[in-house]
Amino acid sequence: MYINLSDLKEIGGKKEFNQELELNSLKFAEREIEVADLIEINLEVFNTTDSFLVKGTITSKLKLNCSRCLKEFIEPIELAISEEVLKEEMEDQSELFIDEIIIDNIILSLPMKVLCSDDCKGLCPQCGQNLNEGECDCEIDTIDPRLAKLKEFYDKKDS
Ligand SMILES: [Zn+2]
Ligand SMILES: [Zn+2]
């Protein structure tokens, strides 16, 4: 997607750019992230002496997989953008290609390990049950020693 800058020739000038961008997925290194909604782009471009300053927000929804319980979930995002593009690095100063700016900002906003929620309980290491959806019947050996006595007590009581 290009922002037309042919009407932003004046130093100190400013231009608003509001658009929706449709991308199905973002590829970055080995990561591929699915985009679940249009990417709403609300930017202002400022013409400074030797660069164009791009500021604003992008909002969308991403389809992510929790790295703890592996479940797919939708994560709404709203990112503040602030980028400076040097004029000497632009092939053509009458337009600005912004896809990379948008993709880089989204990818860099994501942690290496995304979680469906901060207190995601993950999967049972023995049976694979998603512990957010309920407890499983596995005996977990790593019992707090302070509780071990209590467990002994209840085990005796049951038998
Ligand atoms: Zn999770
Ligand atoms: Zn289990």
Short mmCIF file of all heavy atoms in Angstrom, two decimals, residues 54-113:
data_model
loop_
_atom_site.label_atom_id
_atom_site.label_comp_id
_atom_site.label_asym_id
_atom_site.label_seq_id
_atom_site.Cartn_x
_atom_site.Cartn_y
_atom_site.Cartn_z
N VAL A 54 6.16 9.39 10.05
CA VAL A 54 4.87 8.71 9.97
C VAL A 54 4.41 8.41 11.39
O VAL A 54 5.09 7.67 12.12
CB VAL A 54 5.00 7.39 9.17
CG1 VAL A 54 3.64 6.72 9.02
CG2 VAL A 54 5.61 7.66 7.80
N LYS A 55 3.28 8.97 11.78
CA LYS A 55 2.78 8.77 13.14
C LYS A 55 1.31 8.42 13.11
O LYS A 55 0.57 8.90 12.25
CB LYS A 55 2.96 10.05 13.97
CG LYS A 55 4.38 10.28 14.44
CD LYS A 55 4.46 11.58 15.24
CE LYS A 55 5.83 11.80 15.83
NZ LYS A 55 6.11 10.86 16.90
N GLY A 56 0.88 7.60 14.08
CA GLY A 56 -0.54 7.28 14.15
C GLY A 56 -0.78 5.94 14.80
O GLY A 56 0.04 5.47 15.60
N THR A 57 -1.91 5.32 14.46
CA THR A 57 -2.23 4.03 15.06
C THR A 57 -2.67 3.04 13.98
O THR A 57 -3.19 3.42 12.94
CB THR A 57 -3.41 4.14 16.07
OG1 THR A 57 -4.53 4.71 15.41
CG2 THR A 57 -3.03 4.97 17.27
N ILE A 58 -2.44 1.77 14.28
CA ILE A 58 -3.05 0.71 13.46
C ILE A 58 -3.79 -0.23 14.40
O ILE A 58 -3.31 -0.55 15.50
CB ILE A 58 -2.01 -0.07 12.62
CG1 ILE A 58 -0.83 -0.53 13.46
CG2 ILE A 58 -1.50 0.75 11.48
CD1 ILE A 58 0.16 -1.35 12.66
N THR A 59 -4.97 -0.64 13.99
CA THR A 59 -5.75 -1.57 14.80
C THR A 59 -6.19 -2.74 13.91
O THR A 59 -6.44 -2.57 12.72
CB THR A 59 -7.02 -0.92 15.40
OG1 THR A 59 -7.71 -0.24 14.36
CG2 THR A 59 -6.70 0.06 16.48
N SER A 60 -6.23 -3.90 14.54
CA SER A 60 -6.69 -5.09 13.83
C SER A 60 -6.91 -6.21 14.84
O SER A 60 -6.90 -5.97 16.05
CB SER A 60 -5.66 -5.53 12.78
OG SER A 60 -6.20 -6.57 11.98
N LYS A 61 -7.14 -7.40 14.31
CA LYS A 61 -7.23 -8.57 15.17
C LYS A 61 -6.33 -9.65 14.58
O LYS A 61 -6.34 -9.87 13.38
CB LYS A 61 -8.67 -9.09 15.23
CG LYS A 61 -9.63 -8.14 15.92
CD LYS A 61 -10.95 -8.84 16.22
CE LYS A 61 -11.92 -7.92 16.91
NZ LYS A 61 -12.70 -7.12 15.93
N LEU A 62 -5.58 -10.30 15.44
CA LEU A 62 -4.69 -11.37 14.98
C LEU A 62 -5.19 -12.71 15.50
O LEU A 62 -5.77 -12.80 16.57
CB LEU A 62 -3.27 -11.14 15.52
CG LEU A 62 -2.61 -9.82 15.18
CD1 LEU A 62 -1.21 -9.77 15.80
CD2 LEU A 62 -2.52 -9.60 13.68
N LYS A 63 -4.93 -13.75 14.70
CA LYS A 63 -5.24 -15.10 15.13
C LYS A 63 -3.94 -15.72 15.62
O LYS A 63 -3.01 -15.93 14.83
CB LYS A 63 -5.81 -15.89 13.96
CG LYS A 63 -6.61 -17.11 14.37
CD LYS A 63 -7.03 -17.93 13.15
CE LYS A 63 -8.33 -17.40 12.55
NZ LYS A 63 -8.75 -18.27 11.40
N LEU A 64 -3.86 -15.99 16.90
CA LEU A 64 -2.61 -16.49 17.48
C LEU A 64 -2.84 -17.85 18.13
O LEU A 64 -3.97 -18.23 18.41
CB LEU A 64 -2.11 -15.51 18.54
CG LEU A 64 -1.83 -14.08 18.08
CD1 LEU A 64 -1.52 -13.19 19.27
CD2 LEU A 64 -0.68 -14.05 17.10
N ASN A 65 -1.75 -18.56 18.38
CA ASN A 65 -1.82 -19.80 19.13
C ASN A 65 -1.07 -19.63 20.43
O ASN A 65 0.08 -19.21 20.44
CB ASN A 65 -1.21 -20.97 18.33
CG ASN A 65 -2.13 -21.43 17.23
OD1 ASN A 65 -2.08 -20.93 16.11
ND2 ASN A 65 -3.00 -22.35 17.56
N CYS A 66 -1.73 -19.97 21.52
CA CYS A 66 -1.11 -19.86 22.84
C CYS A 66 0.08 -20.82 22.91
O CYS A 66 -0.04 -21.98 22.55
CB CYS A 66 -2.12 -20.20 23.92
SG CYS A 66 -1.43 -20.18 25.58
N SER A 67 1.22 -20.33 23.37
CA SER A 67 2.39 -21.21 23.40
C SER A 67 2.36 -22.11 24.63
O SER A 67 3.20 -22.99 24.77
CB SER A 67 3.68 -20.40 23.34
OG SER A 67 3.73 -19.48 24.39
N ARG A 68 1.40 -21.91 25.53
CA ARG A 68 1.32 -22.77 26.71
C ARG A 68 0.25 -23.85 26.55
O ARG A 68 0.51 -25.02 26.80
CB ARG A 68 1.04 -21.90 27.94
CG ARG A 68 1.55 -22.52 29.22
CD ARG A 68 1.31 -21.60 30.40
NE ARG A 68 2.33 -20.58 30.57
CZ ARG A 68 2.18 -19.50 31.33
NH1 ARG A 68 1.04 -19.30 31.98
NH2 ARG A 68 3.15 -18.62 31.46
N CYS A 69 -0.95 -23.48 26.10
CA CYS A 69 -2.03 -24.49 25.96
C CYS A 69 -2.32 -24.81 24.49
O CYS A 69 -3.15 -25.66 24.20
CB CYS A 69 -3.30 -24.03 26.66
SG CYS A 69 -4.15 -22.67 25.82
N LEU A 70 -1.63 -24.12 23.56
CA LEU A 70 -1.70 -24.36 22.12
C LEU A 70 -3.03 -23.95 21.49
O LEU A 70 -3.22 -24.11 20.28
CB LEU A 70 -1.42 -25.84 21.78
CG LEU A 70 -0.14 -26.42 22.39
CD1 LEU A 70 -0.01 -27.89 22.02
CD2 LEU A 70 1.09 -25.65 21.95
N LYS A 71 -3.95 -23.45 22.27
CA LYS A 71 -5.25 -23.09 21.74
C LYS A 71 -5.16 -21.82 20.88
O LYS A 71 -4.38 -20.92 21.15
CB LYS A 71 -6.22 -22.86 22.90
CG LYS A 71 -7.66 -23.00 22.51
CD LYS A 71 -8.55 -22.84 23.71
CE LYS A 71 -9.98 -22.65 23.20
NZ LYS A 71 -10.95 -22.53 24.26
N GLU A 72 -6.00 -21.82 19.82
CA GLU A 72 -6.07 -20.65 18.96
C GLU A 72 -6.95 -19.59 19.61
O GLU A 72 -7.98 -19.90 20.19
CB GLU A 72 -6.67 -21.09 17.63
CG GLU A 72 -6.56 -20.08 16.53
CD GLU A 72 -7.11 -20.67 15.24
OE1 GLU A 72 -6.34 -21.35 14.53
OE2 GLU A 72 -8.30 -20.49 14.97
N PHE A 73 -6.52 -18.35 19.53
CA PHE A 73 -7.36 -17.28 20.07
C PHE A 73 -7.19 -16.01 19.25
O PHE A 73 -6.22 -15.87 18.51
CB PHE A 73 -7.03 -17.03 21.56
CG PHE A 73 -5.63 -16.53 21.81
CD1 PHE A 73 -5.41 -15.17 22.05
CD2 PHE A 73 -4.55 -17.38 21.81
CE1 PHE A 73 -4.13 -14.69 22.28
CE2 PHE A 73 -3.26 -16.92 22.03
CZ PHE A 73 -3.05 -15.58 22.26
N ILE A 74 -8.15 -15.13 19.38
CA ILE A 74 -8.13 -13.87 18.62
C ILE A 74 -7.65 -12.77 19.56
O ILE A 74 -8.18 -12.59 20.64
CB ILE A 74 -9.54 -13.53 18.10
CG1 ILE A 74 -10.07 -14.65 17.23
CG2 ILE A 74 -9.51 -12.19 17.35
CD1 ILE A 74 -9.44 -14.78 15.87
N GLU A 75 -6.64 -12.05 19.11
CA GLU A 75 -6.07 -10.99 19.94
C GLU A 75 -6.27 -9.64 19.24
O GLU A 75 -5.73 -9.40 18.17
CB GLU A 75 -4.56 -11.26 20.13
CG GLU A 75 -3.81 -10.17 20.86
CD GLU A 75 -3.80 -10.33 22.37
OE1 GLU A 75 -4.73 -10.96 22.92
OE2 GLU A 75 -2.85 -9.84 22.99
N PRO A 76 -7.07 -8.75 19.83
CA PRO A 76 -7.18 -7.42 19.24
C PRO A 76 -5.90 -6.63 19.48
O PRO A 76 -5.30 -6.76 20.57
CB PRO A 76 -8.35 -6.78 20.00
CG PRO A 76 -8.78 -7.75 21.04
CD PRO A 76 -7.85 -8.90 21.07
N ILE A 77 -5.47 -5.87 18.51
CA ILE A 77 -4.27 -5.07 18.70
C ILE A 77 -4.56 -3.61 18.35
O ILE A 77 -5.37 -3.32 17.49
CB ILE A 77 -3.08 -5.56 17.84
CG1 ILE A 77 -3.48 -5.67 16.37
CG2 ILE A 77 -2.54 -6.87 18.33
CD1 ILE A 77 -2.31 -5.69 15.42
N GLU A 78 -3.89 -2.74 19.07
CA GLU A 78 -3.92 -1.32 18.73
C GLU A 78 -2.51 -0.80 18.99
O GLU A 78 -2.05 -0.78 20.13
CB GLU A 78 -4.95 -0.56 19.56
CG GLU A 78 -4.95 0.90 19.19
CD GLU A 78 -6.11 1.69 19.80
OE1 GLU A 78 -6.98 1.09 20.44
OE2 GLU A 78 -6.09 2.92 19.64
N LEU A 79 -1.83 -0.41 17.92
CA LEU A 79 -0.43 -0.05 18.05
C LEU A 79 -0.20 1.41 17.68
O LEU A 79 -0.78 1.91 16.72
CB LEU A 79 0.43 -0.91 17.12
CG LEU A 79 0.36 -2.41 17.31
CD1 LEU A 79 1.19 -3.09 16.25
CD2 LEU A 79 0.84 -2.81 18.69
N ALA A 80 0.66 2.04 18.45
CA ALA A 80 1.08 3.40 18.10
C ALA A 80 2.27 3.29 17.16
O ALA A 80 3.22 2.55 17.43
CB ALA A 80 1.46 4.16 19.35
N ILE A 81 2.20 3.99 16.06
CA ILE A 81 3.27 3.94 15.06
C ILE A 81 4.04 5.25 15.10
O ILE A 81 3.45 6.33 15.21
CB ILE A 81 2.67 3.82 13.65
CG1 ILE A 81 1.78 2.59 13.53
CG2 ILE A 81 3.77 3.80 12.58
CD1 ILE A 81 2.52 1.31 13.54
N SER A 82 5.34 5.16 15.05
CA SER A 82 6.15 6.36 14.91
C SER A 82 7.42 5.98 14.16
O SER A 82 8.31 5.33 14.69
CB SER A 82 6.49 6.92 16.30
OG SER A 82 7.30 8.07 16.14
N GLU A 83 7.45 6.32 12.88
CA GLU A 83 8.58 5.92 12.04
C GLU A 83 9.09 7.12 11.27
O GLU A 83 8.32 8.00 10.88
CB GLU A 83 8.12 4.87 11.01
CG GLU A 83 7.64 3.56 11.61
CD GLU A 83 8.77 2.61 11.94
OE1 GLU A 83 9.91 2.84 11.45
OE2 GLU A 83 8.53 1.64 12.67
N GLU A 84 10.37 7.12 11.04
CA GLU A 84 10.94 8.18 10.22
C GLU A 84 11.57 7.55 8.98
O GLU A 84 12.37 6.63 9.09
CB GLU A 84 12.02 8.92 11.03
CG GLU A 84 12.54 10.14 10.30
CD GLU A 84 13.49 10.98 11.16
OE1 GLU A 84 14.08 10.41 12.11
OE2 GLU A 84 13.64 12.16 10.86
N VAL A 85 11.16 8.01 7.82
CA VAL A 85 11.70 7.49 6.57
C VAL A 85 12.56 8.59 5.93
O VAL A 85 12.04 9.67 5.60
CB VAL A 85 10.57 7.07 5.60
CG1 VAL A 85 11.16 6.48 4.33
CG2 VAL A 85 9.64 6.07 6.28
N LEU A 86 13.84 8.31 5.79
CA LEU A 86 14.74 9.33 5.24
C LEU A 86 14.51 9.50 3.75
O LEU A 86 14.40 8.52 3.01
CB LEU A 86 16.20 8.92 5.51
CG LEU A 86 16.61 8.89 6.98
CD1 LEU A 86 18.04 8.38 7.11
CD2 LEU A 86 16.47 10.27 7.62
N LYS A 87 14.47 10.73 3.33
CA LYS A 87 14.23 10.99 1.91
C LYS A 87 15.32 10.43 1.02
O LYS A 87 15.07 9.92 -0.07
CB LYS A 87 14.11 12.51 1.68
CG LYS A 87 12.80 13.07 2.21
CD LYS A 87 12.71 14.56 2.00
CE LYS A 87 11.43 15.09 2.65
NZ LYS A 87 11.36 16.56 2.60
N GLU A 88 16.56 10.48 1.50
CA GLU A 88 17.67 9.99 0.68
C GLU A 88 17.61 8.47 0.47
O GLU A 88 18.23 7.94 -0.44
CB GLU A 88 19.02 10.39 1.29
CG GLU A 88 19.23 9.83 2.69
CD GLU A 88 20.59 10.21 3.28
OE1 GLU A 88 21.16 11.21 2.84
OE2 GLU A 88 21.06 9.46 4.16
N GLU A 89 16.82 7.79 1.32
CA GLU A 89 16.68 6.34 1.14
C GLU A 89 15.46 5.96 0.31
O GLU A 89 15.18 4.78 0.09
CB GLU A 89 16.61 5.66 2.52
CG GLU A 89 17.95 5.67 3.24
CD GLU A 89 17.87 5.14 4.66
OE1 GLU A 89 16.80 4.69 5.08
OE2 GLU A 89 18.91 5.21 5.35
N MET A 90 14.71 6.96 -0.11
CA MET A 90 13.51 6.68 -0.91
C MET A 90 13.86 6.75 -2.39
O MET A 90 14.54 7.65 -2.84
CB MET A 90 12.41 7.70 -0.60
CG MET A 90 11.90 7.61 0.82
SD MET A 90 10.79 8.99 1.22
CE MET A 90 9.33 8.54 0.28
N GLU A 91 13.33 5.75 -3.13
CA GLU A 91 13.54 5.76 -4.57
C GLU A 91 12.75 6.88 -5.22
O GLU A 91 13.20 7.54 -6.14
CB GLU A 91 13.09 4.42 -5.15
CG GLU A 91 14.23 3.57 -5.68
CD GLU A 91 13.73 2.20 -6.04
OE1 GLU A 91 12.91 2.09 -6.97
OE2 GLU A 91 14.16 1.22 -5.37
N ASP A 92 11.54 7.04 -4.70
CA ASP A 92 10.62 8.01 -5.29
C ASP A 92 9.96 8.78 -4.14
O ASP A 92 9.26 8.21 -3.32
CB ASP A 92 9.56 7.24 -6.09
CG ASP A 92 8.54 8.17 -6.72
OD1 ASP A 92 8.63 9.40 -6.50
OD2 ASP A 92 7.65 7.67 -7.42
N GLN A 93 10.22 10.06 -4.08
CA GLN A 93 9.72 10.84 -2.94
C GLN A 93 8.26 11.27 -3.10
O GLN A 93 7.75 12.01 -2.28
CB GLN A 93 10.60 12.07 -2.72
CG GLN A 93 11.99 11.68 -2.22
CD GLN A 93 12.82 12.89 -1.85
OE1 GLN A 93 12.32 14.00 -1.72
NE2 GLN A 93 14.11 12.67 -1.68
N SER A 94 7.60 10.79 -4.15
CA SER A 94 6.20 11.17 -4.32
C SER A 94 5.25 10.09 -3.80
O SER A 94 4.05 10.24 -3.83
CB SER A 94 5.89 11.48 -5.78
OG SER A 94 5.99 10.29 -6.54
N GLU A 95 5.82 8.99 -3.32
CA GLU A 95 4.97 7.98 -2.70
C GLU A 95 5.76 7.20 -1.65
O GLU A 95 6.98 7.06 -1.73
CB GLU A 95 4.37 7.04 -3.74
CG GLU A 95 5.39 6.31 -4.57
CD GLU A 95 4.76 5.46 -5.67
OE1 GLU A 95 3.56 5.63 -5.94
OE2 GLU A 95 5.47 4.62 -6.23
N LEU A 96 5.01 6.73 -0.67
CA LEU A 96 5.63 6.03 0.46
C LEU A 96 4.97 4.66 0.60
O LEU A 96 3.77 4.55 0.78
CB LEU A 96 5.44 6.85 1.74
CG LEU A 96 6.04 6.30 3.02
CD1 LEU A 96 7.56 6.20 2.89
CD2 LEU A 96 5.68 7.20 4.19
N PHE A 97 5.78 3.62 0.49
CA PHE A 97 5.29 2.25 0.65
C PHE A 97 5.26 1.92 2.14
O PHE A 97 6.28 2.02 2.82
CB PHE A 97 6.24 1.30 -0.10
CG PHE A 97 5.77 -0.13 -0.13
CD1 PHE A 97 4.60 -0.46 -0.82
CD2 PHE A 97 6.48 -1.12 0.51
CE1 PHE A 97 4.17 -1.78 -0.86
CE2 PHE A 97 6.06 -2.44 0.47
CZ PHE A 97 4.90 -2.77 -0.21
N ILE A 98 4.07 1.58 2.65
CA ILE A 98 3.96 1.45 4.11
C ILE A 98 3.74 0.02 4.61
O ILE A 98 3.70 -0.21 5.81
CB ILE A 98 2.85 2.35 4.69
CG1 ILE A 98 1.51 2.04 4.03
CG2 ILE A 98 3.22 3.81 4.58
CD1 ILE A 98 0.33 2.65 4.77
N ASP A 99 3.63 -0.95 3.71
CA ASP A 99 3.38 -2.32 4.17
C ASP A 99 4.43 -2.81 5.16
O ASP A 99 4.12 -3.40 6.18
CB ASP A 99 3.33 -3.29 2.98
CG ASP A 99 2.08 -3.09 2.12
OD1 ASP A 99 1.58 -1.94 2.10
OD2 ASP A 99 1.63 -4.05 1.49
N GLU A 100 5.70 -2.54 4.84
CA GLU A 100 6.76 -3.02 5.73
C GLU A 100 6.68 -2.37 7.11
O GLU A 100 6.90 -3.02 8.13
CB GLU A 100 8.13 -2.73 5.12
CG GLU A 100 8.58 -3.79 4.16
CD GLU A 100 9.82 -3.38 3.39
OE1 GLU A 100 10.69 -2.73 4.00
OE2 GLU A 100 9.90 -3.70 2.20
N ILE A 101 6.38 -1.09 7.11
CA ILE A 101 6.25 -0.37 8.39
C ILE A 101 5.17 -1.03 9.23
O ILE A 101 5.34 -1.30 10.42
CB ILE A 101 5.91 1.12 8.14
CG1 ILE A 101 7.11 1.82 7.50
CG2 ILE A 101 5.49 1.81 9.43
CD1 ILE A 101 6.86 3.29 7.16
N ILE A 102 4.05 -1.34 8.58
CA ILE A 102 2.92 -1.92 9.31
C ILE A 102 3.25 -3.33 9.79
O ILE A 102 3.06 -3.66 10.96
CB ILE A 102 1.67 -1.91 8.41
CG1 ILE A 102 1.20 -0.46 8.26
CG2 ILE A 102 0.56 -2.76 8.99
CD1 ILE A 102 0.26 -0.23 7.13
N ILE A 103 3.77 -4.14 8.89
CA ILE A 103 4.08 -5.52 9.25
C ILE A 103 5.14 -5.57 10.36
O ILE A 103 4.98 -6.28 11.35
CB ILE A 103 4.52 -6.32 8.00
CG1 ILE A 103 3.33 -6.45 7.04
CG2 ILE A 103 5.05 -7.69 8.40
CD1 ILE A 103 3.67 -6.98 5.67
N ASP A 104 6.21 -4.80 10.20
CA ASP A 104 7.27 -4.80 11.22
C ASP A 104 6.74 -4.39 12.58
O ASP A 104 7.08 -4.98 13.61
CB ASP A 104 8.40 -3.84 10.83
CG ASP A 104 9.22 -4.39 9.67
OD1 ASP A 104 8.94 -5.52 9.22
OD2 ASP A 104 10.15 -3.70 9.22
N ASN A 105 5.90 -3.37 12.60
CA ASN A 105 5.37 -2.90 13.88
C ASN A 105 4.48 -3.95 14.55
O ASN A 105 4.53 -4.11 15.77
CB ASN A 105 4.60 -1.59 13.69
CG ASN A 105 5.51 -0.39 13.79
OD1 ASN A 105 5.79 0.10 14.89
ND2 ASN A 105 6.01 0.09 12.67
N ILE A 106 3.69 -4.64 13.75
CA ILE A 106 2.83 -5.68 14.35
C ILE A 106 3.68 -6.82 14.88
O ILE A 106 3.53 -7.25 16.02
CB ILE A 106 1.80 -6.21 13.32
CG1 ILE A 106 0.81 -5.10 12.94
CG2 ILE A 106 1.05 -7.41 13.89
CD1 ILE A 106 -0.17 -5.49 11.85
N ILE A 107 4.60 -7.30 14.06
CA ILE A 107 5.42 -8.44 14.49
C ILE A 107 6.24 -8.10 15.73
O ILE A 107 6.31 -8.87 16.68
CB ILE A 107 6.36 -8.89 13.34
CG1 ILE A 107 5.57 -9.30 12.10
CG2 ILE A 107 7.29 -9.99 13.81
CD1 ILE A 107 5.02 -10.70 12.08
N LEU A 108 6.83 -6.91 15.73
CA LEU A 108 7.69 -6.55 16.86
C LEU A 108 6.89 -6.31 18.14
O LEU A 108 7.46 -6.32 19.23
CB LEU A 108 8.53 -5.32 16.52
CG LEU A 108 9.59 -5.56 15.44
CD1 LEU A 108 10.26 -4.26 15.03
CD2 LEU A 108 10.63 -6.58 15.89
N SER A 109 5.59 -6.10 18.00
CA SER A 109 4.77 -5.88 19.20
C SER A 109 4.45 -7.19 19.91
O SER A 109 4.01 -7.21 21.04
CB SER A 109 3.47 -5.16 18.84
OG SER A 109 2.57 -6.07 18.21
N LEU A 110 4.66 -8.31 19.19
CA LEU A 110 4.30 -9.60 19.78
C LEU A 110 5.46 -10.18 20.57
O LEU A 110 6.59 -10.16 20.11
CB LEU A 110 3.94 -10.60 18.67
CG LEU A 110 2.69 -10.29 17.86
CD1 LEU A 110 2.59 -11.25 16.70
CD2 LEU A 110 1.45 -10.37 18.73
N PRO A 111 5.17 -10.70 21.76
CA PRO A 111 6.24 -11.39 22.48
C PRO A 111 6.58 -12.70 21.77
O PRO A 111 5.78 -13.21 21.00
CB PRO A 111 5.62 -11.66 23.86
CG PRO A 111 4.15 -11.64 23.63
CD PRO A 111 3.89 -10.73 22.45
N MET A 112 7.79 -13.24 22.01
CA MET A 112 8.18 -14.50 21.39
C MET A 112 7.20 -15.60 21.77
O MET A 112 6.88 -16.47 20.98
CB MET A 112 9.59 -14.92 21.81
CG MET A 112 10.70 -14.17 21.11
SD MET A 112 10.54 -14.21 19.29
CE MET A 112 10.98 -15.93 18.96
N LYS A 113 6.74 -15.55 23.03
CA LYS A 113 5.75 -16.54 23.47
C LYS A 113 4.45 -15.82 23.75
O LYS A 113 4.37 -15.06 24.71
CB LYS A 113 6.24 -17.25 24.73
CG LYS A 113 7.41 -18.16 24.48
CD LYS A 113 7.65 -19.09 25.64
CE LYS A 113 8.61 -20.19 25.21
NZ LYS A 113 8.80 -21.21 26.23
#
